[in-house]
């Protein structure tokens, strides 16, 4: 029996969703192969939480835990932390130094994909299309006229390093920009402002499944709100249709771009890329490397349509990490 640490929580606004994802991984872990340990990672504490909610501190020197005098080390880590420090490369680098295998991509890929601006800059020369964008760092002068001239209206103001649609605003007039920028800065000190792409939003998972890069069935996003915001994502105000209602030709295009991005970046583990389809062409918005893993989340939905159970999905991720 291998000891598997399932890390969850994190330091960002996404910690509650991460706890849900981590508990689903714990629930569906193959109990005949693995002994799962729920590890809560917060700024104020790193603790193992047992089934009775007793907490045992993690020794950060070697990422071990002592329970009733017995020291337990882990054969591998299943990373379910959305946002920092699990999705931006910090935990990946830490585990690499400790030589503990983990389920997500390596630290460089995590840091790169977590930064929307840098991700799109790297992929653009490979012919992967994306929206027109304008960048701001906290403290810089805000020239609303220059922003509108570059990206047009309406546009989206987003934190550059954030997930789960926290801090995103759709801006329809120039005088709304300062407020939207202020909202985005609450999530981080870098902002990306993108032109509005009028088309169908789709999300597609790519995983290494049994040693082969595999594109999962595409999900079409139909938001009840103005865009796929937090409410639409997590509070039921959207339809998520898998497989997407798009033609075989467009499906093939999206699959090819999603797989190409995964391979260009030398990804491992999970990825979930978001695209807007405009005139039959996919425009990439972002790539998530620690996507939601609750039973309602997109990757589990896509895996189900592909005939992959949650137990198989999680076992595959652990076994690939252990190789």
């Amino acid at each position: 029996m291998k000891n598997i640490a399932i890390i969850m929580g994190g330091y960002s606004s996404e910690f509650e969703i991460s706890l849900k994802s981590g508990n689903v991984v714990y629930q569906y872990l193959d109990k005949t192969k693995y002994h799962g340990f729920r590890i809560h990672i917060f700024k104020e504490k790193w603790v193992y939480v047992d089934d009775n909610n007793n907490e045992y501190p993690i020794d950060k020197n070697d990422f071990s835990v002592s329970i009733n005098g017995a020291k337990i080390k882990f054969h591998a880590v299943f990373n379910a932390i959305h946002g920092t420090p699990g999705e931006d490369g910090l935990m990946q680098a830490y585990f690499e130094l400790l030589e503990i295998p983990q389920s997500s991509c390596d630290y460089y890929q995590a840091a790169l994909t977590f930064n929307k601006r840098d991700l799109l800059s790297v992929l653009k020369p490979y012919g992967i299309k994306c929206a027109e964008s304008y960048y701001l760092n906290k403290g810089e002068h805000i020239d609303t006229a220059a922003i509108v001239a570059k990206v047009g209206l309406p546009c989206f103001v987003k934190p550059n390093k954030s997930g789960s649609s926290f801090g995103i605003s759709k801006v329809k007039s120039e005088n709304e920009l300062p407020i939207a920028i202020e909202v985005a800065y609450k999530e981080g000190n870098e902002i990306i402002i993108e032109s509005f792409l009028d088309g169908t939003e789709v999300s597609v998972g790519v995983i290494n499944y049994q040693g082969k890069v595999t594109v999962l069935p595409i999900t079409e996003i139909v938001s009840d709100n103005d865009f796929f915001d937090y409410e639409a994502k997590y509070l039921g105000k959207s339809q998520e249709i898998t497989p997407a209602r798009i033609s075989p030709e467009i499906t093939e295009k999206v699959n090819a771009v999603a797989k190409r991005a995964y391979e260009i970046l030398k990804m491992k583990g999970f990825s979930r890329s978001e695209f807007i389809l405009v005139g039959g062409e996919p425009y990439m918005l972002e790539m998530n490397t620690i996507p939601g893993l609750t039973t309602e989340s997109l990757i589990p939905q896509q895996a189900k349509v592909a005939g992959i159970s949650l137990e198989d999905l999680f076992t595959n991720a652990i076994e690939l990490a252990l190789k």
Side-chain angles (χ1 to χ4, degrees):
M1 291 277 284
K2 295 274 200 301
N3 292 333
I4 306 298
I6 304 161
I7 60 172
M8 60 188 89
Y11 305 164
S12 76
S13 304
E14 298 182 82
F15 76 92
E16 288 181 349
I17 300 146
S18 171
L19 292 175
K20 288 179 182 174
S21 290
N23 279 304
V24 168
V25 175
Y26 179 69
Q27 182 187 341
Y28 285 91
L29 206 65
D30 186 341
K31 307 296 190 291
T32 66
K33 290 182 178 177
Y34 312 118
H35 188 186
F37 293 78
R38 292 179 300 165
I39 310 294
H40 288 193
I41 305 287
F42 294 112
K43 275 187 178 171
E44 66 278 9
K45 62 182 179 182
W46 289 23
V47 291
Y48 158 58
V49 181
D50 71 13
D51 289 338
N52 298 313
N53 288 323
N54 297 311
E55 296 185 352
Y56 301 84
I58 294 293
D59 184 344
K60 293 183 185 177
N61 292 300
D62 60 1
F63 198 70
S64 65
V65 62
S66 293
I67 303 169
N68 302 325
K71 181 169 179 162
I72 293 171
K73 288 191 156 191
F74 302 105
H75 296 95
V77 172
F78 194 107
N79 185 353
I81 297 178
H82 314 312
T84 188
E87 199 165 6
D88 58 0
L90 296 178
M91 295 304 292
Q92 288 87 342
Y94 168 72
F95 290 125
E96 184 160 324
L97 287 170
L98 293 178
E99 298 183 341
I100 300 173
Q102 54 88 33
S103 62
S104 65
C105 60
D106 292 335
Y107 66 91
Y108 170 74
Q109 285 80 359
L112 177 68
T113 52
F114 196 65
N115 186 314
K116 297 179 183 75
R117 177 182 67 192
D118 293 356
L119 168 71
L120 298 173
S121 298
V122 166
L123 292 177
K124 224 173 178 177
Y126 290 92
I128 293 175
K129 297 180 173 68
C130 54
E132 193 67 59
S133 52
Y134 187 102
Y135 307 122
L136 273 175
N137 294 322
K138 201 162 192 175
E140 287 181 351
H141 171 65
I142 298 166
D143 185 340
T144 56
I147 294 168
V148 172
K150 180 87 186 288
V151 302
L153 290 169
C155 63
F156 284 98
V157 178
K158 307 176 181 181
N160 191 40
K161 301 177 184 178
S162 177
S164 297
S165 299
F166 285 109
I168 297 182
S169 303
K170 184 177 181 180
V171 170
K172 295 172 183 174
S173 64
E174 187 179 331
N175 60 8
E176 292 173 15
L177 275 168
I179 297 161
I181 288 166
E182 200 175 308
V183 168
Y185 275 142
K186 286 176 183 170
E187 295 294 325
N189 59 9
E190 296 174 6
I191 287 176
I192 180 169
I193 303 171
E194 292 181 322
S195 60
F196 171 65
L197 296 171
D198 192 6
T200 302
E201 182 164 357
V202 296
S203 180
V204 58
V206 182
I207 58 174
N208 183 327
Y209 189 66
Q210 298 176 350
K212 183 184 175 189
V213 175
T214 303
V215 183
L216 296 173
I218 300 166
T219 300
E220 179 183 348
I221 309 293
V222 184
S223 177
D224 296 345
N225 291 353
D226 207 10
F227 64 99
F228 196 42
D229 60 6
Y230 183 88
E231 280 191 338
K233 228 170 231 185
Y234 299 108
L235 303 180
K237 295 200 173 181
S238 68
Q239 293 176 66
E240 295 161 359
I241 302 158
T242 312
R245 301 168 300 180
I246 55 179
S247 70
E249 293 77 21
I250 295 175
T251 298
E252 201 174 302
K253 276 187 183 178
V254 174
N255 287 350
V257 174
K259 185 180 181 188
R260 189 148 183 260
Y262 190 97
E263 291 175 335
I264 286 166
L265 299 174
K266 297 183 171 64
M267 286 292 298
K268 294 177 187 172
F270 299 95
S271 88
R272 196 193 73 224
S273 296
E274 321 297 334
F275 296 93
I276 302 285
L277 305 178
V278 182
E281 293 295 325
Y283 285 72
M284 182 179 262
L285 298 178
E286 63 180 10
M287 181 188 284
N288 301 282
T289 59
I290 313 287
L293 294 171
T294 69
T295 49
E296 301 83 27
S297 296
L298 295 177
I299 290 275
Q301 282 184 45
Q302 293 170 6
K304 187 178 180 182
V305 172
I308 303 169
S309 69
L310 284 179
E311 186 177 289
D312 285 345
L313 190 69
F314 301 150
T315 296
N316 179 73
I318 291 165
E319 290 304 313
L320 285 174
L322 286 166
K323 278 187 177 177

